Structures are given as C-alpha cells and as structure tokens.
C-alpha cells in the first residue's frame, strides 16, 4: 500500500513539472525514481524513455512502464492516474475560465515568463538524458545525426530513432 | 454550467461519447513518433471536422501554457468543448490508452530481456537517438518562446540551476518563473506585446 502511495505521490508531483513538455520533468523523474526510490536504474529509465518516443500518443506514457515494473498492472494504473489527473483537472478548469482570463493582463506575462523557463527545463532534461545516453562515440554520432536530420527535414522522428537502434544492433554484431 | 466559450461553430455536429472516445483512441493509436499535435489537428479539424481551425489554435495556446502533456491537455479541452466533462474524460482516456498499454507491455518485455546484450545494444542506441530528438524539440520550443536577451538569460539560469547545481525542478520553476513573469509584467505603455507567438504550425 505504501508503495502505491509513493508511486501516486511521485508521479502526481512530476506531472505538475511538465511545463513545455515531458522532458522538463526528466531531471526530477531521474532523481526520484532512480536515486530516491530505486524503482529503476538510470539505464532502465533512459531505455523506457526512448522506447516511449516510439510509442504512439503522448510522449510520456513511459511512466506506465515504471509503474508496471514496480507493481505490475495495478502499478501502471496508479501511476497513469496520478500522472494525468492533477494536471488534467487543472487544464479542465482553466479551459473553462480561459475566455474570462483573456482580458487579464497578467495572462500574457505568465505565458511569456513561463515560456523561457519551460525552454530551460527542456534543455536541462536533454542534458541529464545526454549525460547518461552519450557514453561512447557511436552514441554521440547517432545523436548528432538524428539532430541534424530532424532539423533539416520533416521526417517522422520515429524513423531515425528506429534506424539508430538498428545501427546499434549492426555495430554490436560486427564488433 | 454549460461551457460559455463555445462560440466557434464546429463544422460537424458534436459526436456521441462513444464516437468521441473512438476518435481519440484512433488518433492516440496512430500518432507514431511524437508530433501528436499535428495528428490531432488533422484528425479534429480535417478528418472528423469536430473543431474549426481557429478553435484548435486557441485550445493549443491553452495547452501549451499549462503543465501537463500537450496532447493530453488538447484532448481534455477538445473533449470538453464537444461533450462537456464526460467528453474531456473520454478524450484523454482514448488518447492515452494505446501508448500506455504498449509501454506497460514494454515493461514486461524489457523485464524479461533487459539484460540481454542484444536488446541492450538496441536500447542504448535508441536512447542516443532520443537525445537528438529531444534537442530538436528544445530548439523548436526556443524558437517559438524566446524573443529578447532576457528570455535567453532565464533559459540559461534554469539550465544551470537544474542540470548543473541539481536544484529541484519545482524551485527553479517557481523561482525563475516568478522573476520572468515579473520581468514581463503588464505595462501600460506597451499593451499586449504577446500577441506575436501564434502557434501556427505546432510541431510536437
């Protein structure tokens, strides 16, 4: 029971940090799930995160993987509810108030102010992920290649990511 | 209270709750490789014609300025416009269910084969690819959100605090956020300097 409460608390909290995208919450996700609660190892977290980039739908559904690894199907269900409900209710409420907020001058200030913090949080998340994931030359090459490709083309991001995995397999078998 | 914001006329009549759930489920299941918002726009505006483009962009602006995943927020807002709170609930559920089920299944699969060196080689390589993707997302978000030097300063401070000094994200968010909001506080001399960022072509 304690474990389910911990899961609900951690993922409810993390959901509130996903400003500008799931990646913004990644540093805290790592601290809590890896260092504090030891639910997953850092490589496992990275692997789930990157698999999650291949799954359809919102890009942080990988939180279900952590819940499932800790406490099976009920764990996945608890984590999902905790991750979606708090921000979901907030969005629902604000969505109904939004037209009234339209004339509130601070709305624009909040949008702009939080915008730059959101960019910073996403970048910090990318750095934390990169520290773990870019452990050899092949990883660096793949990351740069995917970055360059996605900046230049409108290709579906799933394609270069799967291709990275296949290159990794190829190098593994050749090496 | 009925949603007072339903001013824009949906092109098609609002769907039944079951059709709504099915629609979001299909979009949730087919939006491979991120960029869910683009799939949502194609689905909601073009295919099902449940929302017009103006409403979509408006909901998009709300989603982006609130915490929570963009696609989930969009499903809640669109579902609410279409069928009130049950629509919001079923929209979010349909959007999340396919990906969440797959990732739950992945946990069992990785739990079985996680120590296998072959799957490790694969997973390690896609993690490297994901670093590239996340960097692109950050750059695109930055291009949309940052206008002046002060904005870049706030970005830099946030990065240093979180990634290097390991300050908890919540303190960085509240601390830097408060300063940044104050910096952009409403001034009587320059009204509405924020109408510029129209999320015309949402990428992810």
């Amino acid at each position: 029971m304690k474990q389910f409460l911990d899961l609900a608390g951690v993922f409810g909290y993390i959901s509130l940090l996903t400003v500008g995208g799931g990646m913004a919450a990644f540093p805290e996700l790592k601290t809590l799930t890896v260092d504090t609660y030891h639910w997953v190892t850092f490589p496992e977290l990275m692997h789930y995160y990157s698999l999650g980039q291949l799954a359809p739908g919102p890009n942080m559904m990988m939180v279900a993987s952590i819940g499932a690894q800790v406490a099976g199907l009920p764990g996945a269900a608890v984590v999902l509810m905790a991750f979606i409900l708090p921000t979901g209710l907030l969005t629902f409420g604000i969505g109904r108030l939004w037209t009234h907020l339209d004339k509130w001058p601070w709305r624009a200030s909040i949008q702009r102010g939080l915008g730059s913090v959101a960019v910073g949080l996403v970048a910090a998340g990318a750095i934390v992920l990169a520290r773990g994931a870019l452990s050899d030359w092949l990883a660096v090459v793949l990351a740069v290649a995917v970055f360059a490709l996605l900046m230049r083309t409108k290709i579906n991001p799933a394609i270069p990511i799967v291709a990275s995995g296949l290159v990794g397999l190829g190098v593994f078998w050749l090496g | 209270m009925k949603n007072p914001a339903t001013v824009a006329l949906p092109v098609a009549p609002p769907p039944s709750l079951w059709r709504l759930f099915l629609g979001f489920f299909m979009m949730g299941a087919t939006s491979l490789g991120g960029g869910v918002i683009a799939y949502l726009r194609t689905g909601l505006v073009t295919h099902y014609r449940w929302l017009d483009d103006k409403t979509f962009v408006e909901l998009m602006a709300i989603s982006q300025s609130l915490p929570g995943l963009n696609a989930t927020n969009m499903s809640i807002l669109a579902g609410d416009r279409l069928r009130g709170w049950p629509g919001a609930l079923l929209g979010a559920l349909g959007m999340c269910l396919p990906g969440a089920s797959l990732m739950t299944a992945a946990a069992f699969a990785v739990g079985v084969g996680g120590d296998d060196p072959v799957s490790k080689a694969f997973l390690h390589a896609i993690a490297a690819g994901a670093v590239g993707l996340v960097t692109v997302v950050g750059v695109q978000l930055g291009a949309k959100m940052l206008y002046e030097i002060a904005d870049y300063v706030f970005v830099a401070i946030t990065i240093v605090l979180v990634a290097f000094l390991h300050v908890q994200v919540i303190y960085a968010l509240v601390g830097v956020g408060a300063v940044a909001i104050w910096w952009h506080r409403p001034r009587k001399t320059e009204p509405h300097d924020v109408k510029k960022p129209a999320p015309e072509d949402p990428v992810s």
Side-chain angles (χ1 to χ4, degrees):
Chain A
M1 192 60 219
K2 167 88 166 57
Q3 195 166 49
F4 286 110
L5 287 177
D6 286 342
L7 282 172
V10 164
F11 284 93
Y13 166 63
I14 284 177
S15 75
L16 295 173
L17 306 177
T18 53
V19 181
M23 200 63 207
F26 192 80
E28 204 74 5
L29 184 67
K30 190 241 167 197
T31 306
L32 287 170
T33 60
V34 176
D35 306 330
T36 308
Y37 286 98
H38 308 289
W39 284 327
V40 287
T41 64
F42 190 30
E44 280 171 335
L45 179 68
M46 285 191 301
H47 293 163
Y48 283 137
Y49 181 81
S50 18
L51 273 179
Q53 301 301 307
L54 299 176
N59 69 350
M60 287 294 279
M61 290 299 103
M62 50 76 66
V63 296
S65 306
I66 301 177
Q69 178 159 329
V70 176
L73 277 182
V78 165
V79 161
L80 276 174
M81 295 233 295
F83 191 70
I84 293 168
L85 263 182
T87 53
L89 287 173
L90 182 73
T91 302
F92 183 78
I94 303 269
R96 292 198 163 191
L97 283 175
W98 194 256
T99 38
H100 304 294
L101 293 180
D102 202 19
K103 290 173 194 79
W104 188 46
W106 282 90
R107 194 191 95 178
S109 309
I110 293 172
Q111 246 171 316
R112 273 204 72 177
L114 287 187
S116 45
V117 182
V119 175
L121 289 178
V122 171
I127 291 169
V128 171
L129 180 66
R131 263 189 214 136
L134 305 186
S135 53
D136 52 36
W137 64 268
L138 175 66
V140 176
V141 170
L142 288 173
V144 171
V146 171
F147 174 79
L149 191 69
L150 291 179
M151 285 301 288
R152 279 150 194 265
T153 64
K154 291 227 156 204
I155 188 173
N156 187 325
I159 295 168
I161 291 188
V162 170
S164 306
L166 297 178
V167 171
L169 281 182
V171 170
F172 175 76
W173 278 318
L174 289 173
Chain B
M1 187 182 82
K2 256 295 178 198
N3 189 345
T6 321
V7 274
L9 298 170
V11 189
S16 68
L17 282 173
W18 168 244
R19 299 265 325 159
L20 183 146
F21 172 77
L22 211 63
F24 278 93
F25 185 89
M26 292 307 289
M27 289 184 278
T30 51
S31 51
L32 281 164
V36 195
I37 295 303
Y39 286 92
L40 268 171
R41 177 181 234 160
T42 311
L44 290 173
V45 179
T46 317
H47 181 68
Y48 298 109
R49 303 166 81 203
W50 290 338
L51 296 177
D52 59 29
D53 216 32
K54 189 173 158 289
T55 312
F56 186 88
V57 172
E58 181 197 335
L59 299 185
M60 195 55 215
I62 309 178
S63 302
Q64 285 182 328
S65 34
L66 292 174
L69 307 175
N70 237 332
T72 317
N73 283 350
M74 274 305 286
S75 309
I76 288 168
L77 294 170
D80 185 32
R81 291 289 168 102
L82 292 168
R83 297 292 314 219
W85 70 264
L89 183 69
L90 288 175
L93 205 63
M95 173 51 63
C96 293
L97 215 49
S101 322
L102 276 174
M103 289 312 294
T104 304
F108 292 111
V110 171
V112 173
D115 285 329
D116 167 37
V118 177
S119 51
K120 263 195 172 160
F122 179 77
L123 289 169
H124 190 68
I126 63 169
V131 171
L133 168 62
V134 168
T135 313
V136 173
V137 171
V139 170
Q140 286 171 340
L141 193 66
K144 210 160 49 189
M145 298 282 192
L146 309 177
Y147 298 96
E148 52 180 275
I149 294 181
D151 293 334
Y152 288 89
V153 173
F154 295 132
V155 171
I157 295 173
T158 308
I159 292 176
V160 170
L161 286 177
V162 174
F164 295 97
L165 302 177
H166 303 287
V167 171
Q168 278 194 42
V169 171
I170 187 80
Y171 297 133
L173 181 61
V174 173
V176 184
V179 176
I181 290 168
W182 180 252
W183 179 270
H184 292 297
R185 68 191 172 277
R187 292 186 182 88
K188 289 186 185 84
T189 43
E190 38 164 354
H192 283 305
D193 60 336
V194 183
K195 284 289 158 179
K196 290 171 271 181
E200 273 304 325
D201 190 20
V203 179
S204 83

